[in-house]
Amino acid sequence: PDPPRFWVYVPLSASRHPPSEDFPVCQTYVDTVILGCFSWGGKELAHEWISNTSGWSPYFLNDAPLSRRPWLHRERHAEIDEVLAQHSEWTKFASRRHPE
């Protein structure tokens, strides 16, 4: 069988910005990566990814459509939020904001 293939997002140096009000960490991106972790290695891989990812910031935007009703647009939202909350000192989960 073919070995597993993983994709890593590395922005070009010209477009790298630390998270800020203008360039927040976006929930939809975090959801995409954690859903991939769930698919390839379950919650254990999600915990490992969170622990090994730098750049978490209080500038954490829940940019999902209708973000106050996550069951409408965020697949497995409760499991994702649970994993993020378990690492809240790292992920700054309590600082996550809604767009409005």
Side-chain angles (χ1 to χ4, degrees):
D2 292 330
R5 189 181 303 189
F6 291 91
W7 298 97
V8 177
Y9 171 74
V10 179
L12 298 173
S13 60
S15 65
R16 286 187 193 158
H17 303 278
S20 66
E21 190 171 346
D22 292 328
F23 300 100
V25 173
C26 291
Q27 182 72 56
T28 53
Y29 178 73
V30 172
D31 285 356
T32 299
V33 175
I34 292 180
L35 285 170
C37 291
F38 287 168
S39 294
W40 288 96
K43 286 187 180 181
E44 182 178 326
L45 183 57
H47 287 289
E48 186 176 338
W49 177 76
I50 290 168
S51 298
N52 288 295
T53 297
S54 61
W56 294 101
S57 168
Y59 296 105
F60 189 173
L61 179 66
N62 188 345
D63 62 329
L66 297 171
S67 63
R68 294 187 188 278
R69 293 188 173 115
W71 59 91
L72 295 175
H73 296 284
R74 290 184 56 222
E75 182 182 345
R76 298 179 73 177
H77 69 90
E79 292 172 87
I80 292 170
D81 289 353
E82 176 186 350
V83 171
L84 290 169
Q86 288 174 353
H87 296 274
S88 61
E89 72 286 347
W90 189 251
T91 63
K92 313 295 188 236
F93 183 72
S95 298
R96 184 178 66 173
R97 300 289 179 246
H98 297 275
E100 66 279 349

